[in-house]
Amino acid sequence: EWLRRQDISKAESFWRNALQGFTKPTPLPGAIASVGSTEKYEDRHITISAAVTSALQALTRGHQITLNTIVQGCWALLLAQHNEENDVVFGVTVSGRPADLPGIGSMLGLFINILPMRICVSPEESFISWLKQIQEQQLDWREYEYSSLIDVNEWSEVPATSRLFESLLVFQDYPLN
């Protein structure tokens, strides 16, 4: 019911604007081109030590940014460096739990969504200022995180025969025993 009340035309306008000028997916570093219809996928899991986590948490508190923003910024830098382009797109997972939906905190079910994150690397800007821009961008598109990835792909300028992105960053911020 909540989804049906959303203004899809506003979402379309938002995503068209956000992805304007982006016409091909950003290749993944070290990706092997698939042959025929066989595609290769790999998972990479990275666990950060307690000492590094503490240092990163101090950085986030000191500059009012999230750890997720730092990780997304680093991934964008890696993709930009590898592809020698300052404009990259990769997939990110979002909770899909809109704060304005009454009772969302007590609802059960899978709400997550996967959406494109477009980041422009700005070499002349300070790292922290650039990270704050990424975080602001995330806040801007939070209103439209319910959008279907299929729809967003159609609204982009990437050809329908291509994927919108070649890599997906899943950030999980919880302690492990």
Side-chain angles (χ1 to χ4, degrees), residues 7-23:
D7 187 343
I8 298 300
S9 64
K10 267 181 77 176
E12 179 179 355
S13 177
F14 172 82
W15 287 109
R16 283 188 187 278
N17 185 54
L19 297 170
Q20 184 177 16
F22 196 82
T23 59

PDB file of all heavy atoms in Angstrom, residues 7-23:
ATOM      1  N   ASP A   7       5.167   8.469  -5.664  1.00  0.00           N
ATOM      2  CA  ASP A   7       5.095   9.142  -6.963  1.00  0.00           C
ATOM      3  C   ASP A   7       6.220   8.617  -7.862  1.00  0.00           C
ATOM      4  O   ASP A   7       7.367   9.081  -7.774  1.00  0.00           O
ATOM      5  CB  ASP A   7       5.209  10.649  -6.768  1.00  0.00           C
ATOM      6  CG  ASP A   7       4.984  11.438  -8.046  1.00  0.00           C
ATOM      7  OD1 ASP A   7       5.045  10.856  -9.142  1.00  0.00           O
ATOM      8  OD2 ASP A   7       4.737  12.656  -7.933  1.00  0.00           O
ATOM      9  N   ILE A   8       5.894   7.645  -8.695  1.00  0.00           N
ATOM     10  CA  ILE A   8       6.894   7.021  -9.571  1.00  0.00           C
ATOM     11  C   ILE A   8       7.479   8.035 -10.552  1.00  0.00           C
ATOM     12  O   ILE A   8       8.662   7.960 -10.897  1.00  0.00           O
ATOM     13  CB  ILE A   8       6.290   5.807 -10.315  1.00  0.00           C
ATOM     14  CG1 ILE A   8       5.847   4.739  -9.310  1.00  0.00           C
ATOM     15  CG2 ILE A   8       7.272   5.212 -11.311  1.00  0.00           C
ATOM     16  CD1 ILE A   8       6.942   4.196  -8.424  1.00  0.00           C
ATOM     17  N   SER A   9       6.694   9.003 -10.993  1.00  0.00           N
ATOM     18  CA  SER A   9       7.214   9.999 -11.933  1.00  0.00           C
ATOM     19  C   SER A   9       8.288  10.869 -11.265  1.00  0.00           C
ATOM     20  O   SER A   9       9.260  11.260 -11.903  1.00  0.00           O
ATOM     21  CB  SER A   9       6.089  10.858 -12.511  1.00  0.00           C
ATOM     22  OG  SER A   9       5.461  11.615 -11.502  1.00  0.00           O
ATOM     23  N   LYS A  10       8.131  11.147  -9.960  1.00  0.00           N
ATOM     24  CA  LYS A  10       9.169  11.887  -9.226  1.00  0.00           C
ATOM     25  C   LYS A  10      10.434  11.049  -9.107  1.00  0.00           C
ATOM     26  O   LYS A  10      11.542  11.549  -9.282  1.00  0.00           O
ATOM     27  CB  LYS A  10       8.677  12.268  -7.830  1.00  0.00           C
ATOM     28  CG  LYS A  10       8.054  13.632  -7.733  1.00  0.00           C
ATOM     29  CD  LYS A  10       7.608  13.947  -6.311  1.00  0.00           C
ATOM     30  CE  LYS A  10       8.781  14.314  -5.449  1.00  0.00           C
ATOM     31  NZ  LYS A  10       8.371  14.712  -4.078  1.00  0.00           N
ATOM     32  N   ALA A  11      10.245   9.759  -8.827  1.00  0.00           N
ATOM     33  CA  ALA A  11      11.388   8.858  -8.731  1.00  0.00           C
ATOM     34  C   ALA A  11      12.105   8.766 -10.073  1.00  0.00           C
ATOM     35  O   ALA A  11      13.337   8.818 -10.138  1.00  0.00           O
ATOM     36  CB  ALA A  11      10.940   7.477  -8.268  1.00  0.00           C
ATOM     37  N   GLU A  12      11.347   8.648 -11.139  1.00  0.00           N
ATOM     38  CA  GLU A  12      11.950   8.578 -12.474  1.00  0.00           C
ATOM     39  C   GLU A  12      12.755   9.832 -12.768  1.00  0.00           C
ATOM     40  O   GLU A  12      13.894   9.763 -13.244  1.00  0.00           O
ATOM     41  CB  GLU A  12      10.877   8.379 -13.540  1.00  0.00           C
ATOM     42  CG  GLU A  12      11.459   8.334 -14.949  1.00  0.00           C
ATOM     43  CD  GLU A  12      10.411   8.117 -16.026  1.00  0.00           C
ATOM     44  OE1 GLU A  12       9.221   7.911 -15.701  1.00  0.00           O
ATOM     45  OE2 GLU A  12      10.803   8.140 -17.208  1.00  0.00           O
ATOM     46  N   SER A  13      12.183  10.981 -12.477  1.00  0.00           N
ATOM     47  CA  SER A  13      12.876  12.248 -12.712  1.00  0.00           C
ATOM     48  C   SER A  13      14.164  12.316 -11.889  1.00  0.00           C
ATOM     49  O   SER A  13      15.216  12.728 -12.388  1.00  0.00           O
ATOM     50  CB  SER A  13      11.947  13.408 -12.356  1.00  0.00           C
ATOM     51  OG  SER A  13      12.604  14.625 -12.509  1.00  0.00           O
ATOM     52  N   PHE A  14      14.082  11.901 -10.633  1.00  0.00           N
ATOM     53  CA  PHE A  14      15.256  11.907  -9.767  1.00  0.00           C
ATOM     54  C   PHE A  14      16.369  11.038 -10.336  1.00  0.00           C
ATOM     55  O   PHE A  14      17.518  11.461 -10.462  1.00  0.00           O
ATOM     56  CB  PHE A  14      14.893  11.442  -8.357  1.00  0.00           C
ATOM     57  CG  PHE A  14      16.104  11.256  -7.497  1.00  0.00           C
ATOM     58  CD1 PHE A  14      16.689  12.336  -6.871  1.00  0.00           C
ATOM     59  CD2 PHE A  14      16.683  10.003  -7.345  1.00  0.00           C
ATOM     60  CE1 PHE A  14      17.836  12.176  -6.105  1.00  0.00           C
ATOM     61  CE2 PHE A  14      17.820   9.829  -6.578  1.00  0.00           C
ATOM     62  CZ  PHE A  14      18.401  10.920  -5.950  1.00  0.00           C
ATOM     63  N   TRP A  15      16.041   9.779 -10.674  1.00  0.00           N
ATOM     64  CA  TRP A  15      17.066   8.855 -11.147  1.00  0.00           C
ATOM     65  C   TRP A  15      17.603   9.236 -12.519  1.00  0.00           C
ATOM     66  O   TRP A  15      18.796   9.075 -12.783  1.00  0.00           O
ATOM     67  CB  TRP A  15      16.551   7.413 -11.137  1.00  0.00           C
ATOM     68  CG  TRP A  15      16.445   6.885  -9.740  1.00  0.00           C
ATOM     69  CD1 TRP A  15      15.308   6.624  -9.038  1.00  0.00           C
ATOM     70  CD2 TRP A  15      17.531   6.592  -8.857  1.00  0.00           C
ATOM     71  NE1 TRP A  15      15.620   6.176  -7.778  1.00  0.00           N
ATOM     72  CE2 TRP A  15      16.978   6.140  -7.642  1.00  0.00           C
ATOM     73  CE3 TRP A  15      18.920   6.654  -8.979  1.00  0.00           C
ATOM     74  CZ2 TRP A  15      17.763   5.765  -6.549  1.00  0.00           C
ATOM     75  CZ3 TRP A  15      19.699   6.269  -7.898  1.00  0.00           C
ATOM     76  CH2 TRP A  15      19.130   5.844  -6.709  1.00  0.00           C
ATOM     77  N   ARG A  16      16.754   9.749 -13.387  1.00  0.00           N
ATOM     78  CA  ARG A  16      17.246  10.223 -14.701  1.00  0.00           C
ATOM     79  C   ARG A  16      18.279  11.333 -14.497  1.00  0.00           C
ATOM     80  O   ARG A  16      19.322  11.350 -15.147  1.00  0.00           O
ATOM     81  CB  ARG A  16      16.100  10.705 -15.578  1.00  0.00           C
ATOM     82  CG  ARG A  16      15.294   9.592 -16.208  1.00  0.00           C
ATOM     83  CD  ARG A  16      14.276  10.151 -17.229  1.00  0.00           C
ATOM     84  NE  ARG A  16      13.401   9.116 -17.722  1.00  0.00           N
ATOM     85  CZ  ARG A  16      13.714   8.264 -18.696  1.00  0.00           C
ATOM     86  NH1 ARG A  16      14.899   8.327 -19.273  1.00  0.00           N
ATOM     87  NH2 ARG A  16      12.844   7.350 -19.090  1.00  0.00           N
ATOM     88  N   ASN A  17      17.981  12.246 -13.593  1.00  0.00           N
ATOM     89  CA  ASN A  17      18.897  13.347 -13.310  1.00  0.00           C
ATOM     90  C   ASN A  17      20.182  12.834 -12.657  1.00  0.00           C
ATOM     91  O   ASN A  17      21.284  13.239 -13.022  1.00  0.00           O
ATOM     92  CB  ASN A  17      18.213  14.379 -12.416  1.00  0.00           C
ATOM     93  CG  ASN A  17      19.077  15.584 -12.186  1.00  0.00           C
ATOM     94  OD1 ASN A  17      19.542  16.215 -13.127  1.00  0.00           O
ATOM     95  ND2 ASN A  17      19.288  15.912 -10.918  1.00  0.00           N
ATOM     96  N   ALA A  18      20.043  11.924 -11.690  1.00  0.00           N
ATOM     97  CA  ALA A  18      21.204  11.399 -10.973  1.00  0.00           C
ATOM     98  C   ALA A  18      22.159  10.634 -11.884  1.00  0.00           C
ATOM     99  O   ALA A  18      23.371  10.636 -11.664  1.00  0.00           O
ATOM    100  CB  ALA A  18      20.746  10.497  -9.829  1.00  0.00           C
ATOM    101  N   LEU A  19      21.615   9.984 -12.921  1.00  0.00           N
ATOM    102  CA  LEU A  19      22.444   9.147 -13.805  1.00  0.00           C
ATOM    103  C   LEU A  19      22.687   9.777 -15.168  1.00  0.00           C
ATOM    104  O   LEU A  19      23.279   9.143 -16.049  1.00  0.00           O
ATOM    105  CB  LEU A  19      21.785   7.771 -13.959  1.00  0.00           C
ATOM    106  CG  LEU A  19      21.672   6.966 -12.665  1.00  0.00           C
ATOM    107  CD1 LEU A  19      20.791   5.745 -12.861  1.00  0.00           C
ATOM    108  CD2 LEU A  19      23.042   6.575 -12.142  1.00  0.00           C
ATOM    109  N   GLN A  20      22.258  11.021 -15.336  1.00  0.00           N
ATOM    110  CA  GLN A  20      22.405  11.701 -16.628  1.00  0.00           C
ATOM    111  C   GLN A  20      23.865  11.737 -17.073  1.00  0.00           C
ATOM    112  O   GLN A  20      24.760  12.082 -16.309  1.00  0.00           O
ATOM    113  CB  GLN A  20      21.873  13.129 -16.519  1.00  0.00           C
ATOM    114  CG  GLN A  20      21.906  13.878 -17.828  1.00  0.00           C
ATOM    115  CD  GLN A  20      21.305  15.273 -17.679  1.00  0.00           C
ATOM    116  OE1 GLN A  20      21.128  15.782 -16.583  1.00  0.00           O
ATOM    117  NE2 GLN A  20      21.001  15.885 -18.793  1.00  0.00           N
ATOM    118  N   GLY A  21      24.089  11.320 -18.307  1.00  0.00           N
ATOM    119  CA  GLY A  21      25.435  11.339 -18.878  1.00  0.00           C
ATOM    120  C   GLY A  21      26.233  10.068 -18.625  1.00  0.00           C
ATOM    121  O   GLY A  21      27.316   9.896 -19.181  1.00  0.00           O
ATOM    122  N   PHE A  22      25.732   9.184 -17.805  1.00  0.00           N
ATOM    123  CA  PHE A  22      26.431   7.928 -17.535  1.00  0.00           C
ATOM    124  C   PHE A  22      25.908   6.886 -18.505  1.00  0.00           C
ATOM    125  O   PHE A  22      24.727   6.553 -18.480  1.00  0.00           O
ATOM    126  CB  PHE A  22      26.206   7.486 -16.080  1.00  0.00           C
ATOM    127  CG  PHE A  22      27.182   6.436 -15.652  1.00  0.00           C
ATOM    128  CD1 PHE A  22      28.446   6.797 -15.226  1.00  0.00           C
ATOM    129  CD2 PHE A  22      26.855   5.099 -15.710  1.00  0.00           C
ATOM    130  CE1 PHE A  22      29.362   5.836 -14.855  1.00  0.00           C
ATOM    131  CE2 PHE A  22      27.760   4.128 -15.338  1.00  0.00           C
ATOM    132  CZ  PHE A  22      29.022   4.500 -14.911  1.00  0.00           C
ATOM    133  N   THR A  23      26.783   6.371 -19.381  1.00  0.00           N
ATOM    134  CA  THR A  23      26.308   5.543 -20.495  1.00  0.00           C
ATOM    135  C   THR A  23      26.817   4.098 -20.520  1.00  0.00           C
ATOM    136  O   THR A  23      26.370   3.304 -21.345  1.00  0.00           O
ATOM    137  CB  THR A  23      26.685   6.198 -21.829  1.00  0.00           C
ATOM    138  OG1 THR A  23      28.110   6.341 -21.879  1.00  0.00           O
ATOM    139  CG2 THR A  23      26.016   7.556 -21.985  1.00  0.00           C
TER     140      THR A  23
END
